[in-house]
Amino acid sequence: MTDASSTPAIPVTIHRSDYRAPDWSIPDIALDFALGIDATKVGAALSVVRQADAPVPLLLRGDGLTPAAVRVDGEVWNGWRMDGSDLIVDLGERNAATVEVDTVIDPASNTQLSGLYASGGLLCTQCEAEGFRRITFHPDRPDVLSRYKVRMQGDKAAFPILLSNGNCVDQGEEGSDHWALWEDPWPKPSYLFALVAGDLVVNKDSFTTMSGREVELGIWVRGGDQDRTGHAMQALKDSMAWDERVYGREYDLDLFNIVAVSDFNMGAMENKGLNIFNTRYILADPDTATDVDYDGVEGVVAHEYFHNWSGNRVTCRDWFQLSLKEGFTVFRDQNFSADMGSPPVKRIEDVRLLRAAQFPEDAGPLAHPIRPDSFQEISNFYTATIYNKGAEIIRMMATMVGPERFRNGTDLYFDRHDGEAATCEDFVKAIEDGAGIDLGQFRRWYEQAGTPRLKLSLAEEGGVWSLNIVQTVPPTPGQPGKQPMMMPLRLAAFAMDGSSDALADTLVTVTGATQRIALGKFAARPALSVNRGFSAPIIVDFERGPGELAWLAAHDDDPFARYEALQQLMLDTLVAAVSGKTGDHQAVIEAVGQTLTGAASDPAFVAEAVLLPSEAFIGDQMVTVDPDAIRRERLALQAAIGAALETKWRAILAGSAPPATDLSSKAKGGRRLRGVALAYLAATGAGDAPALAFRIFSDADGMTERQAALATLAHGDSDERVAALDIFYQRYRDNPLVLDKWFQVQAWSLRDDTVDAVKALAQHPDFTLANPNRVRSLYGALTGNQAAFHQADGAGYRLIADLVIALDPKNPQTSAKMIPPLGRWKRFDEGRQALMKAELERILAQPGLSRDVTEQASKSLLG
């Protein structure tokens, strides 16, 4: 018999179909904060206006709050009651009133990092999705938009800087205290409220908008970090100019502030006029940040700035519409980053991330449409599907209608819905009307989960070739049957011997379960270049031999298609080898060698193209994943390529590395290619490889080369490995972001003892569960290390389950994010399946489990 007290309560399921407009609007809010780390007093004055046809009570959501006082129109009010954690205020026949509620909260004890919390002496907020109800009672739903007036007062020594949304309109001192009054003239939902108070320094700059207004810019950080904010500031100014140029969107306040905090569940938050960032996406200099880090700073700064229109000025009606703002804004930041660097490389990176994070989600128990029908805990829906697949859905619309018509549609969307809480349907309708296209069938992308598969075959009749397409959308939880999707498919066809004219880049629209496309006359079977530029987020099943793939890798005129052909050649070889067949290493070696001939002119593209597919992606192609065989065969192919092309790898490493201060696309590509070359050389087991890696580690003038060499050494067993890890730790032990890298490279290691190493590192004095970055750097990295995480004895599974159980009472959001890798148990052999299911059951048996973890674990257990 199970003790009922040990069984987690089943969370309430919220359905999109149950949406109804709010009974009360709140045009204006005045907040008064008396700040303290251990106790902050919050006074909230809500001007409420009834929207319902008949008198109804005012429902104000709360989480862990107790009202100290309730007043209505200035009078103490007794007509209120608590309903669980929510406050119900009976306003009788009133159509409008001012409702005041006083509360006291304890930021120091708020380990969830949601609401108002303390972080190293700072007070800061995170209110998306439902954190505002942890600060004061409020409807806390995105379709209630208000103008905010915020007064903050606190000890000047403890909180010398007081920041909130909008513009600072007044400030003063009262003894040892000081205060500031902020007003935001633009109506916004509660999830965009922000407050930061503490000891900060600022990097100031300005930007002149296209209408001639000067905007004051500020990036606020802890003392000593100011010199590492220059790249973020430049990214902000570039973003503002790009959004004006590409979308015609101008910034609308006198100030734009960013604050970097160490303890943060997310990457960053787009609060109106006061973006709050995880430090990892603000701080960068050559000694401490890799090129990937620099790109991350640029992309995330752009993303949060772009939200000012796609998320703030036009926000979500409800949380089911989350991809309305996130998918669209990811699409915008991807295009910005492509314009700032190499478009082909950016596209490769984005597709690699989609395949690594979103395709498995679509194929597992947590699959959901980009506009979900229900949820239990909204924090669990900040997923790769919402963000990355959501961006691909926007990209498909843009591809089908072209740049000019797409801009017409987005202009119409912003004009129609400025100052409103909109829906995904509103966006699609604006593109339809602005671009003059029927997207009726396309709406299925918002309704159906799963990754469509296109099975392709070529047919010939009288020398005329055609392409036959069979489309299927696999069943997903709650959606056993699917209808065909509408999608743009870019393709081209080539005569490999030059005997016929090529079919130039062509855009076709796929709509049916079956479809035939004419390719034209060819003397022999043409080489087909399909889904060029990754025009649709799909899986393509198409048999092409090694010779055809190698030819496309060398000659296709679409960079992404060239990359894809080489990756497919590698993948086919590896899957064959893992399945016990003979893998043709030689074809891969020759194709990689041919690709390396372009290293001097385009090192960034070459570095991406010659990388082997990841272990996880290889596993995704198999019915039953064999982690050990995948690692063995991947290492064997890596060693074969390394040995056969050793002269080329050594030549790349013999050259001088571009200086770390050079952030051009070519320089970053050169450093990336050197890291790839070092990894291939080390895979051969060359006796001098550890010494060479250590010399690169020691001589590096920046973090990109230093970390690449350290990661290479971390895979092996050498004195140089031990020395490099110790040197790195001693040099950066006081820099939290760089120390995260030290934990991460060890959790990514290909060594057989990685799980034991992670277990030991979890006891390291510098490891803490209190910081999400540190948790992700160790445990998150382990879940991405396929063979280690899926160690046959289940030690990796137990380690993650132990983490989830320990972390859930402190930070359920971060804890829940660690569960999905366990949910893929059906993909593995029976032994691993049993072990993974046992850990999910152990998690669910814990008393007092959060809604976040309960939903993720229970759905994952269903498989």
Side-chain angles (χ1 to χ4, degrees):
M1 181 176 179
T2 302
D3 182 355
S5 65
S6 68
T7 304
I10 299 175
V12 175
T13 299
I14 300 168
H15 297 273
R16 179 166 56 89
S17 58
D18 292 338
Y19 172 83
R20 69 173 200 174
D23 293 325
W24 294 85
S25 65
I26 306 178
D28 295 284
I29 295 178
L31 299 173
D32 195 328
F33 290 87
L35 301 171
I37 293 290
D38 299 308
T40 289
K41 297 178 182 179
V42 185
L46 286 61
S47 299
V48 302
V49 178
R50 181 161 62 86
Q51 304 298 311
D53 294 335
V56 290
L58 175 66
L59 169 62
L60 303 176
R61 300 291 188 186
D63 183 357
L65 301 179
T66 300
V70 178
R71 294 176 297 278
V72 174
D73 292 334
E75 297 180 0
V76 174
W77 198 251
N78 295 320
W80 63 271
R81 60 185 172 85
M82 295 297 294
D83 180 10
S85 59
D86 299 332
L87 174 63
I88 310 294
V89 183
D90 188 352
L91 296 175
E93 299 292 327
R94 284 176 167 83
N95 291 323
T98 298
V99 177
E100 298 176 78
V101 183
D102 297 337
T103 55
V104 180
I105 54 179
D106 179 5
S109 66
N110 183 0
T111 61
Q112 293 188 34
L113 311 184
S114 171
L116 178 67
Y117 64 93
S119 174
L122 295 179
L123 288 178
C124 54
T125 56
Q126 171 55 32
C127 293
E128 187 176 356
E130 296 178 340
F132 193 72
R133 66 188 63 185
R134 295 172 58 80
I135 297 172
T136 188
F137 290 98
H138 187 272
D140 201 15
R141 46 188 287 175
D143 56 353
V144 176
L145 280 67
S146 311
R147 289 178 293 272
Y148 280 69
K149 181 182 292 186
V150 180
R151 186 183 189 277
M152 294 176 283
Q153 182 167 335
D155 180 73
K156 189 173 184 179
F159 308 113
I161 301 300
L162 303 173
L163 304 172
S164 190
N165 306 89
N167 299 315
C168 185
V169 297
D170 202 2
Q171 54 190 323
E173 297 187 17
E174 295 180 6
S176 62
D177 281 3
H178 72 144
W179 58 269
L181 181 64
W182 290 78
E183 290 187 7
D184 186 352
W186 299 102
K188 65 175 181 284
S190 56
Y191 80 83
L192 291 174
F193 168 75
L195 176 156
V196 177
D199 189 3
L200 297 164
V201 296
V202 65
N203 175 6
K204 283 192 174 184
D205 208 327
S206 64
F207 178 83
T208 303
T209 70
M210 59 185 179
S211 67
R213 290 189 307 105
E214 186 166 304
V215 179
E216 182 180 322
L217 310 178
I219 298 182
W220 299 83
V221 294
R222 296 185 186 277
D225 287 336
Q226 188 176 3
D227 291 343
R228 300 166 66 198
T229 61
H231 184 64
M233 181 62 80
Q234 187 59 52
L236 175 58
K237 294 163 68 176
D238 289 342
S239 303
M240 298 175 81
W242 187 90
D243 210 19
E244 290 183 345
R245 184 174 69 253
V246 178
Y247 283 88
R249 298 296 116 187
E250 183 176 348
Y251 186 62
D252 51 9
L253 290 169
D254 299 331
L255 300 174
F256 189 91
N257 284 319
I258 291 174
V259 178
V261 298
S262 300
D263 302 308
F264 206 65
N265 282 332
M266 301 184 180
M269 181 62 213
E270 71 266 20
N271 318 295
K272 182 73 176 183
L274 179 58
N275 287 186
I276 300 179
F277 271 65
N278 190 316
T279 50
R280 66 176 295 195
Y281 292 116
I282 288 295
L283 304 181
D285 65 15
D287 183 57
T288 60
T290 65
D291 292 333
V292 172
D293 294 329
Y294 272 98
D295 290 345
V297 168
E298 182 178 69
V300 176
V301 167
H303 180 94
E304 304 308 332
Y305 174 74
F306 295 152
H307 265 313
N308 187 62
W309 277 93
S310 52
N312 296 2
R313 287 284 289 261
V314 183
T315 193
C316 301
R317 185 195 72 176
D318 54 65
W319 291 120
F320 297 102
Q321 319 297 329
L322 181 58
S323 194
L324 172 74
K325 73 182 185 77
E326 295 301 348
F328 185 23
T329 306
V330 169
F331 170 75
R332 276 151 53 76
D333 81 53
Q334 288 176 348
N335 287 341
F336 165 79
S337 294
D339 285 353
M340 294 296 108
S342 166
V345 170
K346 177 59 179 169
R347 191 65 185 133
I348 289 168
E349 292 170 347
D350 291 339
V351 173
R352 181 184 290 128
L353 176 59
L354 184 81
R355 286 170 166 167
Q358 197 282 319
F359 276 21
E361 193 168 85
D362 249 353
L366 300 176
H368 58 275
I370 64 168
R371 183 183 58 198
D373 293 320
S374 65
F375 62 78
Q376 294 173 352
E377 171 52 58
I378 183 55
S379 296
N380 289 333
F381 277 86
Y382 284 75
T383 62
T385 296
I386 298 296
Y387 282 70
N388 304 91
K389 186 175 182 178
E392 295 299 321
I393 273 60
I394 305 297
R395 185 179 297 276
M396 283 192 288
M397 285 188 266
T399 298
M400 288 190 292
V401 303
E404 184 176 342
R405 292 162 66 202
F406 184 72
R407 170 66 188 273
N408 291 340
T410 58
D411 282 351
L412 189 59
Y413 168 69
F414 289 129
D415 292 344
R416 279 179 178 175
H417 302 290
D418 189 8
E420 294 181 359
T423 65
C424 294
E425 172 60 27
D426 291 329
F427 183 86
V428 177
K429 188 67 170 65
I431 300 300
E432 273 187 325
D433 294 347
I437 186 174
D438 182 358
L439 294 172
Q441 183 184 358
F442 188 83
R443 286 169 169 81
R444 291 175 188 167
W445 284 99
Y446 287 89
E447 301 162 0
Q448 296 186 161
T451 305
R453 301 185 78 103
L454 297 191
K455 185 173 180 60
L456 309 182
S457 60
L458 290 175
E460 181 265 341
E461 186 174 345
V464 177
W465 290 79
S466 60
L467 174 67
N468 294 320
I469 300 174
V470 178
Q471 178 188 168
T472 57
V473 186
T476 53
Q479 293 185 337
K482 305 292 178 65
Q483 295 179 298
M485 306 287 240
M486 176 185 185
M487 67 189 73
L489 189 68
R490 282 182 54 208
L491 55 85
F494 304 95
M496 289 188 288
D497 61 1
S499 61
S500 308
D501 291 335
L503 173 67
D505 187 277
T506 301
L507 180 66
V508 299
T509 302
V510 176
T511 56
T514 61
Q515 199 161 330
R516 173 171 287 196
I517 299 167
L519 300 178
K521 280 194 172 186
F522 290 90
R525 174 189 162 106
L528 185 66
S529 171
V530 65
N531 206 23
R532 292 155 67 84
F534 203 72
S535 57
I538 58 175
I539 296 172
V540 175
D541 296 322
F542 183 42
E543 291 188 10
R544 290 178 288 185
E548 183 176 340
L549 289 170
W551 188 92
L552 287 167
H555 299 99
D556 201 315
D557 57 358
D558 179 81
F560 182 84
R562 286 205 313 277
Y563 160 82
E564 193 83 326
L566 182 50
Q567 290 291 297
Q568 191 64 53
L569 179 60
M570 293 172 171
L571 195 60
D572 290 348
T573 301
L574 288 164
V575 170
V578 173
S579 302
K581 302 173 186 176
T582 301
D584 185 0
H585 285 188
Q586 189 56 37
V588 176
I589 291 167
E590 291 175 0
V592 171
Q594 175 69 27
T595 303
L596 286 173
T597 60
S601 60
D602 195 354
F605 172 80
V606 170
E608 298 299 333
V610 302
L611 277 176
L612 289 175
S614 70
E615 293 179 6
F617 189 59
I618 298 166
D620 287 340
Q621 318 309 309
M622 310 186 73
V623 176
T624 301
V625 183
D626 185 342
D628 298 326
I630 289 172
R631 173 155 294 179
R632 181 180 64 250
E633 297 301 335
R634 187 179 185 277
L635 286 173
L637 179 55
Q638 187 179 28
I641 296 171
L645 302 174
E646 182 174 348
T647 301
K648 291 181 179 290
W649 303 126
R650 289 187 181 276
I652 291 169
L653 292 169
S656 299
T661 53
D662 185 349
L663 296 179
S664 66
S665 179
K666 188 168 185 177
K668 288 190 288 188
R671 289 188 289 270
R672 172 77 157 153
L673 186 57
R674 284 171 57 84
V676 172
L678 182 61
Y680 270 116
L681 184 61
T684 68
D688 66 337
L692 176 59
F694 188 78
R695 185 166 68 251
I696 292 172
F697 170 84
S698 302
D699 295 345
D701 68 340
M703 182 55 69
T704 300
E705 289 249 310
R706 188 174 299 120
Q707 183 176 335
L710 181 66
T712 298
L713 288 167
H715 295 317
D717 185 16
S718 64
D719 292 341
E720 288 88 351
R721 170 187 180 272
V722 175
L725 285 170
D726 182 61
I727 291 169
F728 194 93
Y729 174 76
Q730 296 299 335
R731 179 170 179 169
Y732 296 111
R733 62 186 303 172
D734 296 325
N735 186 314
L737 290 179
V738 184
L739 199 57
D740 287 340
K741 301 177 187 299
W742 183 79
F743 282 95
Q744 189 177 65
V745 295
Q746 295 177 81
W748 274 344
S749 172
L750 304 181
R751 290 164 54 98
D752 293 336
D753 63 352
T754 294
V755 174
D756 290 336
V758 170
K759 193 180 301 183
L761 286 166
Q763 305 304 314
H764 193 280
D766 288 305
F767 183 79
T768 174
L769 291 181
N771 182 268
N773 286 348
R774 189 59 45 86
V775 172
R776 289 186 285 258
S777 71
L778 184 63
Y779 289 99
L782 175 65
T783 63
N785 185 341
Q786 182 170 263
F789 176 60
H790 293 286
Q791 190 170 294
D793 63 0
Y797 309 148
R798 288 191 294 276
L799 203 57
I800 295 302
D802 287 345
L803 166 71
V804 170
I805 292 167
L807 186 57
D808 185 48
K810 301 178 177 68
N811 189 331
Q813 283 190 38
T814 300
S815 181
K817 292 292 190 293
M818 296 294 164
I819 293 174
L822 289 170
R824 304 205 71 207
W825 55 267
K826 279 189 175 180
R827 300 295 319 284
F828 294 84
D829 59 84
E830 291 184 2
R832 287 182 170 91
Q833 285 188 21
L835 291 167
M836 295 166 85
K837 289 171 65 178
E839 295 306 327
L840 288 168
E841 290 168 346
R842 181 161 71 93
I843 291 169
L844 283 168
Q846 300 304 307
L849 208 59
S850 70
R851 288 184 310 175
D852 309 63
V853 169
T854 299
E855 180 179 29
Q856 292 289 80
S858 58
K859 288 182 176 179
S860 295
L861 189 57
L862 295 175

